[in-house]
């Protein structure tokens, strides 16, 4: 049992989701509205700890009109419980779950537990399969995975992503150290690539939106 997971990201034509300095404002106004409509539809939004540390995102629905209570649950994948207490993902605009590993310092877990729910699983890194099972058991049916590239890779590699929705902005930034849509260790041969099927494509202003199902 696992939630239905939609990986959503904005990238440049050269596949970067941020510049080498971490700047990540890529898509246009219309696409941001699409993203916020999707956030409103799902039960939870999930990000990796580096995205939190670099962007300090709110991870709420705020670019469209919504009623109070329409914010999905925020999930931070954070093996060492490093999420800073004063970062916006821990504010009271929405519920937050911090998923840590068994290696997280006990005092950090205790401090985080005073503010949010903490789920512990995995040694070294967070055990994503078991996290998905726990979230499904807790009633979370749909998750929007909002990166970054390291978490995107792990989730795809473990077969936990059902759909990929990408906004491609007509810009190029280059940079060998700029994060791409999917980084991580990478797959060794093309024969083992994760395969997708294009379901839908359309423009929002100058941005091209591509929606895929993950087939293997
Ligand atoms: N354009 C977009 O749509 C978009 C969206 C999101 C993010 N971004 C950009 O992406 C960049 C951050 O990406 P990132 O790749 O550095 O980091 P990330 O994917 O946000 O976070 C990765 C971290 O998550 C933790 N983690 C715990 N368990 C994991 C597991 N099983 N698998 C993978 N990660 C696990 C690890 O840190 P610990 O071991 O310390 O826990 C890992 O280093 C930022 O620059 C951000 O702006 C862009």
């Amino acid at each position: 049992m696992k939630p239905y997971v939609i990986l959503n990201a904005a990238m440049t034509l050269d596949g970067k989701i941020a510049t080498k300095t971490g700047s990540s404002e890529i898509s246009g106004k219309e696409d941001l509205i699409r993203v916020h409509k999707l956030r409103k539809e799902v039960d939870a939004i999930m990000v990796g700890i580096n995205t939190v540390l670099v962007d300090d995102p709110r991870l709420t629905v705020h670019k469209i009109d919504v009623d109070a209570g329409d914010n999905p649950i925020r999930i931070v994948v954070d093996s060492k419980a490093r999420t800073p207490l004063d970062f916006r993902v821990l504010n009271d605009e929405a519920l937050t779950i911090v998923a840590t590993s068994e290696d997280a310092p006990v005092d950090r877990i205790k401090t985080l537990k005073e503010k949010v729910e903490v789920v512990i699983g995995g040694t070294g890194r967070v055990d994503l399969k078991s996290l998905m099972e726990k979230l499904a058991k807790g009633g979370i049916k749909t998750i929007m995975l909002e990166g970054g590239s390291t978490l995107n890779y792990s989730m795809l590699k473990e077969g936990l992503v059902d759909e990929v929705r990408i906004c491609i902005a007509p810009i190029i930034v280059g940079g060998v150290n700029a994060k791409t849509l999917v980084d991580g260790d990478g797959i060794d041969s093309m024969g083992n690539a994760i395969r997708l099927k294009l379901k839908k494509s359309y423009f929002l202003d100058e941005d091209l939106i591509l929606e895929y199902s993950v087939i293997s």
Side-chain angles (χ1 to χ4, degrees):
M1 186 165 72
K2 79 162 199 72
Y4 188 86
V5 177
I6 303 169
L7 187 166
N8 185 84
M11 69 179 199
T12 62
L13 182 59
D14 51 333
K16 309 295 187 188
I17 61 165
T19 65
K20 63 181 178 183
T21 61
S23 161
S24 61
E25 280 142 17
I26 294 172
S27 57
K29 197 175 161 205
E30 288 298 313
D31 184 60
L32 290 175
I33 290 170
R34 178 190 67 81
V35 168
H36 283 249
K37 281 182 178 162
L38 182 55
R39 281 184 179 180
K40 185 170 176 276
E41 281 171 24
V42 295
D43 296 324
I45 302 175
M46 186 164 95
V47 295
I49 180 63
N50 290 350
T51 295
V52 169
L53 296 176
V54 173
D55 297 343
D56 188 15
R58 286 162 73 185
L59 298 180
T60 55
V61 185
H62 54 267
K63 300 228 183 266
I64 56 172
D65 289 336
V66 280
D67 297 327
D70 274 339
N71 284 320
I73 294 171
R74 305 171 290 197
I75 302 163
V76 183
V77 179
D78 174 12
S79 337
K80 302 180 203 80
R82 291 187 289 150
T83 307
L85 294 181
D86 57 347
F87 270 38
R88 300 195 295 179
V89 75
L90 298 188
N91 69 19
D92 57 12
E93 284 185 277
L95 295 174
T96 302
I97 297 172
V98 177
T100 68
S101 76
E102 281 154 24
D103 297 336
V106 177
D107 58 329
R108 283 295 306 164
I109 293 178
K110 189 166 171 269
T111 310
L112 280 171
K113 271 187 176 166
E114 283 163 16
K115 281 198 101 164
V116 295
E117 187 180 340
V118 178
V119 174
I120 305 168
T123 45
R125 279 192 163 175
V126 173
D127 181 334
L128 296 171
K129 276 198 176 123
S130 116
L131 173 64
M132 288 300 121
E133 278 169 24
K134 284 178 196 161
L135 294 173
K137 278 186 193 146
I140 292 179
K141 293 190 183 69
T142 50
I143 293 181
M144 181 176 177
L145 170 61
E146 289 207 55
S149 33
T150 309
L151 184 61
N152 286 347
Y153 177 73
S154 297
M155 287 289 289
L156 283 161
K157 187 74 178 34
E158 295 199 33
L160 298 171
V161 179
D162 300 281
E163 256 186 64
V164 176
R165 298 189 189 180
I166 299 301
C167 162
I168 304 179
I171 50 175
I172 290 175
V173 294
V176 71
N177 293 320
K179 297 280 174 184
T180 64
L181 176 63
V182 182
D183 287 335
D185 290 340
I187 285 165
D188 48 4
S189 92
M190 284 297 170
N192 293 330
I194 293 152
R195 302 206 167 265
L196 307 101
K197 185 171 173 56
L198 184 64
K199 293 193 306 177
K200 197 170 164 188
S201 61
Y202 55 99
F203 282 97
L204 287 175
D205 292 333
E206 292 191 320
D207 295 333
L208 174 61
I209 316 301
L210 300 171
E211 299 187 3
Y212 295 88
S213 301
V214 178
I215 52 177
S216 68

